[in-house]
């Protein structure tokens, strides 16, 4: 048998992504709100869900509860100008607008948003090529999603 390289299993990919999300999830910085307590609460071949709490400076500091479900079939992870943080990018539609695939539940109200409007980012520090590796792992995980598989 010739040297055939096999990719990571779905379970191995999920375990690796859980570890990296726990280590590198950060909030987007806003002038009117602080996002904190981000937690990866679920991940499977098709999506991952991150919850967080937001404290807004303009409404007496009452907490707001967020849940964001991201599809794994990202186009890329886009970075900020400094290349230190990034968000999950799903491409553009036929009108040139960012695709809104992230299911956001803010205080019980559902909407769909693009990855850069959600407030969840990844910090790229401490490991070489971590952005590229997380992007590759998400794309690999998406291949296990039944709705992404087509026979022909």
């Amino acid at each position: 048998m010739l040297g055939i390289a096999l990719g990571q299993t779905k379970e191995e990919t999920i375990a690796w992504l859980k570890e990296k999300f726990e280590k590198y999830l950060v909030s987007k910085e806003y002038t009117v709100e602080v996002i904190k307590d981000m937690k990866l609460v679920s991940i499977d071949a098709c999506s991952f869900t991150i919850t967080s709490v937001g404290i807004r400076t303009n409404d007496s500091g009452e907490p707001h509860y967020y849940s964001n479900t991201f599809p794994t079939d990202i186009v890329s992870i886009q970075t900020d100008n400094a290349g230190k943080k990034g968000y999950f990018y799903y491409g553009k539609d036929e009108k040139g607008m960012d695709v809104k695939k992230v299911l956001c539940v803010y205080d019980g109200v559902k909407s769909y948003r693009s990855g850069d409007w959600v407030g969840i980012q990844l910090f790229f520090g401490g490991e070489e090529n971590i952005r590229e590796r997380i992007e590759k792992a998400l794309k690999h995980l998406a291949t296990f999603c039944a709705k992404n598989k087509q026979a022909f």
Side-chain angles (χ1 to χ4, degrees):
M1 183 162 129
L2 296 174
I4 298 174
L6 300 175
Q8 300 297 310
T9 67
K10 176 176 76 170
E11 293 76 17
E12 289 169 330
T13 305
I14 286 171
W16 187 85
L17 282 166
K18 282 181 179 180
E19 174 189 324
K20 299 309 172 189
F21 283 168
E22 184 176 308
K23 190 172 184 179
Y24 294 113
L25 279 176
V26 296
S27 68
K28 192 171 182 180
E29 295 176 14
Y30 296 99
T31 55
V32 297
E33 184 171 32
V34 174
I35 306 292
K36 61 182 190 170
D37 299 331
M38 289 180 298
K39 292 180 181 78
L40 176 69
V41 294
S42 68
I43 183 169
D44 61 33
C46 299
S47 65
F48 57 96
T49 300
I50 298 168
T51 60
S52 60
V53 177
I55 306 294
R56 296 182 184 155
T57 56
N58 60 353
D59 65 0
S60 14
E62 289 294 318
H64 297 271
Y65 299 95
Y66 304 145
S67 175
N68 300 291
T69 301
F70 299 81
T72 55
D73 64 342
I74 64 169
V75 170
S76 64
I77 297 176
Q78 297 289 306
T79 60
D80 62 9
N81 292 337
K84 299 285 187 188
K85 293 181 182 177
Y87 63 91
F88 305 104
Y89 178 67
Y90 296 95
K92 300 224 180 256
D93 64 18
E94 62 280 350
K95 295 179 182 176
M97 303 297 289
D98 283 347
V99 173
K100 297 178 179 180
K101 290 179 81 172
V102 182
L103 172 60
C104 303
V105 181
Y106 296 143
D107 290 338
V109 178
K110 294 181 182 181
S111 65
Y112 282 90
R113 296 187 178 205
S114 60
D116 65 329
W117 282 95
V118 175
I120 305 292
Q121 295 183 318
L122 293 169
F123 172 72
F124 308 123
E127 290 184 52
E128 190 172 335
N129 300 320
I130 192 63
R131 180 190 66 78
E132 294 86 355
R133 292 166 54 214
I134 291 173
E135 182 177 304
K136 184 177 179 180
L138 282 170
K139 289 177 178 182
H140 177 65
L141 185 58
T143 66
F144 294 103
C145 181
K147 65 182 173 188
N148 292 335
K149 292 185 180 188
Q150 298 179 11
F152 301 99

